Amino acid sequence: MYLDNYPQKFPADFLWGGATAANQIEGAWKTAGKGLTTAEVVSKAENRKKMSMDQVDQASLAAAIADQTTTNYPKRRGIDFYHHYAADIKLFAEMGFKVFRFSIAWSRIFPNGDDQTANEAGLAFYDRVLDELAKYQIEPLITLSHYEMPLALTQKYNGWADRRVISAFTHYTETVFKRYGKRVKYWLTFNEINTGTWGFHATGAIDQGLTKNEQLQLRYQALHHQLVASALATKQLHQLVPTAQMGCMLARMQTYPATPNPVDVQAAQAADQKNLFFTDVQVRGEYPGFMNRYFAEQGIKITMQPDDQQILSENPVDFVSFSYYMTTVTQAAQDGTAVGNMATGGRNPYLQESAWGWQIDPIGLRITLNEMWDRYQKPLFIVENGLGAVDKLEDGKVHDSYRIDYLRQHIEQMKEAISDGVKLLGYTMWGPIDLISFSTSEMSKRYGFIYVDQDDQGHGSLRRIRKDSFYWYQKVIKSNGEDLS
Ligand code: BG6
């Protein structure tokens, strides 16, 4: 027997599609009983290269609650998907989507997060979304928590810092699994769970004014609660819907050593381990030794209950999903230069960057896919990747060849990784329709195949317009990734 064969095409059942999040698209922030979310009290970034996500303290929170407009809080208006969902899904179907990733706003179902009874009007909205997807045989991929939670849980418990939020969350997950479980095969627990180390947007915990070390203590404790909640939700899903699959979701940040000097290589490995810690727990079911050492050295003490370890080890996820936007460079002596929205790392002189300073590295995606596959041996799913750019609407058209180039190069590398033997379930590019940016709350940072007529101030008709990339992606899906021209 000769081993002379390897896959050279995307699998026939490859899931092509796009990904969104409730707080960046839905709008209708007070409609049909919905409660206020943490995302809706984060104001716009002061400028394009700055992040706004964690500027939440008690004073800004009080100001946000008093302000009943959407002017300074664009995530309250989104792109009004709440009222446009049918037409938007029709456009996704026209591109040939096989899968659509979206998140449920927990506060549409439980306005205060820990209510006993679910809000039927909120549940009915996602029924309508699922009906629409079913009409076109588009597989839903649902994120249970994407950078938001009911604000009431911040006010009552300081978000995930408090263990009691775990039971509020599992009450919510049980409710949605029972309601939608038969129609939804793929689920994710927490979007980019690792970014909880950066603060409020993911933990819902206000930690302004604490020392750096106290902040780390609080954030890792909050993250421990999320890891336990994630494992419990996985257990529930498997019990309630044995055919469904749960995935974890990491903002994957491959980092390269700045030089071959072993001190840089070791520093890069340590940085990488901190990124992979979360998937390590969610896939392998236990805290890795390197984190125990890190916590001890930092004086961080994670409070666990006696059965936490068992919950984690008995309920690993079924597949591993991640977002991929950039790579970073690590040096033993970091100079702290920021690369992109979530990474602190050096610049890579071999790479180009987007207008927002995110370094573009398609080959890094192949490297990442190979490393994730080697490490976990579980099916992978790229659930975010894309280019935020300023688009110009000219004569009713958007000629976004730069976006096509970006996506083509990444898809080419996905195919290489498949040929390397990686098992890849699908690809949901980020923001198939223009939406509100997570990090800056700008509308002008556009990712979509579909242009939305709205500016940073919220002015515009909200009209949807197909960009050049719309027709390109349609061709890519139709040819199952063979025609990338
Ligand atoms: C990911 C988030 O980090 O990146 C998304 O999961 C986000 O919510 C995406 O929108 C792109 O980031 P940004 O800041 O350009 O919107």
Side-chain angles (χ1 to χ4, degrees):
M1 181 182 135
Y2 296 102
L3 290 177
D4 60 353
N5 205 4
Y6 63 92
Q8 293 178 53
K9 286 180 190 286
F10 286 92
D13 56 355
F14 192 77
L15 293 165
W16 296 97
T20 60
N23 71 86
Q24 293 171 263
I25 60 168
E26 284 181 5
W29 64 298
K30 290 197 283 192
T31 303
K34 178 179 161 298
L36 198 59
T37 73
T38 47
E40 291 157 351
V41 296
V42 178
S43 61
K44 290 190 261 197
E46 292 147 24
N47 71 57
R48 169 152 298 182
K49 293 253 164 117
K50 260 194 153 174
M51 309 270 289
S52 61
M53 60 190 194
D54 287 320
Q55 295 161 357
V56 175
D57 54 19
Q58 293 298 350
S60 74
L61 181 59
I65 293 168
D67 184 342
Q68 286 295 298
T69 72
T70 62
T71 321
N72 296 317
Y73 304 94
K75 287 172 188 151
R76 294 178 182 182
R77 59 174 181 263
I79 53 161
D80 198 26
F81 178 78
Y82 188 86
H83 295 107
H84 291 72
Y85 69 91
D88 291 346
I89 290 170
K90 190 164 182 228
L91 285 167
F92 300 154
E94 194 181 320
M95 273 187 279
F97 275 27
K98 313 275 182 225
V99 61
F100 174 51
R101 174 182 174 223
F102 63 99
S103 72
I104 295 179
W106 179 353
S107 78
R108 271 198 202 286
I109 317 292
F110 293 100
N112 300 295
D114 59 354
D115 316 68
Q116 276 315 299
T117 319
N119 172 29
E120 177 53 36
L123 286 167
F125 169 63
Y126 297 105
D127 270 333
R128 296 198 292 276
V129 170
L130 290 173
D131 287 346
E132 217 56 38
L133 292 172
K135 209 155 121 183
Y136 305 106
Q137 283 125 42
I138 299 175
E139 190 93 54
L141 165 59
I142 296 186
T143 317
L144 291 157
S145 176
H146 190 128
Y147 285 176
E148 69 176 282
M149 66 195 295
L151 184 68
L153 294 175
T154 293
Q155 295 168 304
K156 198 162 166 187
Y157 302 116
N158 205 24
W160 282 100
D162 192 312
R163 193 174 173 101
R164 282 171 292 183
V165 172
I166 297 177
S167 53
F169 182 75
T170 51
H171 181 44
Y172 153 64
T173 55
E174 186 184 3
T175 306
V176 297
F177 293 155
K178 283 187 174 155
R179 178 80 169 219
Y180 312 124
K182 285 212 184 80
R183 318 210 263 164
V184 182
K185 181 169 173 197
Y186 297 107
W187 297 82
L188 305 175
T189 50
F190 295 96
N191 180 63
E192 298 189 333
I193 186 167
N194 55 306
T195 70
T197 58
W198 295 74
F200 181 77
H201 69 282
T203 61
I206 294 176
D207 56 15
Q208 303 295 311
L210 300 182
T211 64
K212 239 195 147 33
N213 210 266
E214 289 166 341
Q215 275 185 342
L216 275 183
Q217 166 73 45
L218 182 142
R219 292 173 187 176
Y220 274 110
Q221 184 64 54
L223 282 160
H224 174 69
H225 297 148
Q226 290 190 357
L227 288 167
V228 172
S230 174
L232 287 171
T234 305
K235 180 177 180 181
Q236 271 176 344
L237 182 69
H238 289 155
Q239 281 171 351
L240 291 166
V241 198
T243 50
Q245 295 189 22
M246 184 62 85
C248 50
M249 167 26 169
L250 183 80
R252 179 67 184 124
M253 301 271 180
Q254 178 83 42
T255 190
Y256 304 127
T259 72
N261 185 335
V263 293
D264 286 338
V265 178
Q266 192 279 323
Q269 184 183 53
D272 232 23
Q273 285 174 327
K274 278 198 208 76
N275 181 239
L276 292 164
F277 151 58
F278 301 89
T279 26
D280 280 358
V281 176
Q282 290 174 298
V283 179
R284 295 167 164 171
E286 61 179 6
Y287 274 53
F290 59 78
M291 281 314 274
N292 295 337
R293 175 178 182 167
Y294 171 73
F295 291 145
E297 287 177 353
Q298 299 294 316
I300 295 170
K301 294 198 185 332
I302 308 292
T303 307
M304 298 198 190
Q305 287 201 351
D307 57 351
D308 282 2
Q309 185 48 61
Q310 199 181 342
I311 293 169
L312 296 176
S313 65
E314 285 178 356
N315 302 289
V317 290
D318 304 300
F319 66 96
V320 177
S321 88
F322 61 92
S323 62
Y324 179 83
Y325 291 95
M326 67 186 86
T327 51
T328 66
V329 174
T330 301
Q331 244 180 333
Q334 282 284 1
D335 68 0
T337 318
V339 179
N341 71 343
M342 280 163 257
T344 305
R347 304 225 139 237
N348 188 330
Y350 298 97
L351 301 178
Q352 309 276 318
E353 62 182 39
S354 78
W356 277 261
W358 295 21
Q359 292 209 289
I360 300 168
D361 183 9
I363 295 174
L365 178 57
R366 177 178 177 187
I367 298 170
T368 286
L369 283 164
N370 271 279
E371 292 205 345
M372 298 287 273
W373 174 247
D374 283 350
R375 195 174 181 101
Y376 300 123
Q377 298 283 304
K378 291 237 183 189
L380 304 179
F381 207 138
I382 302 168
V383 296
E384 284 187 37
N385 168 244
L387 178 71
V390 177
D391 289 336
K392 258 208 345 250
L393 184 63
E394 291 165 311
D395 302 330
K397 298 208 156 101
V398 178
H399 302 301
D400 55 343
S401 53
Y402 37 90
R403 181 167 295 107
I404 295 173
D405 286 344
Y406 176 102
L407 295 170
R408 176 192 299 118
Q409 288 167 23
H410 284 81
I411 293 172
E412 277 167 1
Q413 295 301 322
M414 282 155 48
K415 200 169 165 190
E416 294 293 340
I418 289 171
S419 292
D420 294 334
V422 169
K423 179 151 192 222
L424 185 59
L425 294 174
Y427 175 74
T428 54
M429 67 74 76
W430 176 253
I433 182 163
D434 293 345
L435 38 69
I436 305 290
S437 154
F438 151 64
S439 58
T440 62
S441 290
E442 289 168 291
M443 187 66 213
S444 52
K445 188 177 189 186
R446 296 175 183 273
Y447 284 85
F449 298 125
I450 302 162
Y451 184 90
V452 175
D453 178 29
Q454 178 176 227
D455 65 15
D456 286 338
Q457 282 65 49
H459 303 131
S461 64
L462 290 176
R463 196 156 70 90
R464 277 51 172 161
I465 298 157
R466 296 168 186 80
K467 302 181 195 176
D468 287 357
S469 57
F470 180 100
Y471 302 103
W472 175 81
Y473 199 49
Q474 189 177 51
K475 207 167 55 177
V476 172
I477 298 178
K478 196 158 179 231
S479 64
N480 198 27
E482 287 304 302
D483 186 356
L484 300 178
S485 60

